[in-house]
Amino acid sequence: MGFLTRWFCAFALLALTFNPTKYNYIKWVQDYGGMNLSIAVLLGLLLAIGYIIYLRATLRSIGPGGMMLVLALVGALIWVFHDLGILRLDNSSLNVWLGLVALSLVLGIGLSWSHVRRALSGQSDVDDIDE
């Protein structure tokens, strides 16, 4: 259940920032941000904090190589679904949602990887004290 919560929060963070509908931060700032600058800045800072938390944890746990590997795996899965005729990629909105799912999986796995590693190996990750 922990991974699903972390993945859903990553997906929400990405989808709140941008999605193919008109209900996202980017579109809202373009349309109304000038009239509500203080709210736009506050919401932007909250989103930035979320990204910092997720990206820092992901980079520390799986690193850039792991991030690319997860993206490659999701890309290969989408390719297989497309080749089998399960998924059509001619809808640009669907492609954006697939991209959001792929990126949220990277962030969700990155935030959850220490838990998975501890469960598999019995070893805990420890932050460097000197930093």
Side-chain angles (χ1 to χ4, degrees):
M1 194 63 174
F3 169 75
L4 290 177
T5 302
R6 291 179 193 96
W7 170 76
F8 178 76
C9 289
F11 181 79
L13 178 67
L14 290 164
L16 286 171
T17 304
F18 178 77
N19 64 64
T21 71
K22 62 180 179 178
Y23 303 107
N24 62 70
Y25 177 75
I26 301 293
K27 182 70 173 155
W28 180 82
V29 166
Q30 288 174 345
D31 293 343
Y32 305 105
M35 294 180 284
N36 301 298
L37 188 58
S38 61
I39 296 171
V41 169
L42 176 65
L43 294 176
L45 289 171
L46 289 172
L47 288 171
I49 290 168
Y51 281 108
I52 289 168
I53 291 168
Y54 266 93
L55 288 172
R56 180 177 164 109
T58 299
L59 286 170
R60 289 183 67 89
S61 64
I62 62 176
M67 292 171 75
M68 291 297 121
L69 189 59
V70 172
L71 274 177
L73 185 63
V74 172
L77 184 64
I78 290 171
W79 186 9
V80 167
F81 285 161
H82 182 271
D83 278 353
L84 294 175
I86 298 170
L87 181 66
R88 294 180 52 192
L89 299 175
D90 55 357
N91 182 345
S92 62
S93 291
L94 175 65
N95 293 342
V96 171
W97 287 113
L98 286 172
L100 291 172
V101 168
L103 291 173
S104 66
L105 280 171
V106 170
L107 295 177
I109 289 170
L111 199 63
S112 300
W113 189 250
S114 292
H115 300 287
V116 172
R117 182 173 180 220
R118 182 176 55 237
L120 292 174
S121 69
Q123 297 177 349
S124 296
D125 289 339
V126 179
D127 288 341
D128 295 331
I129 295 175
D130 294 333
E131 290 188 3

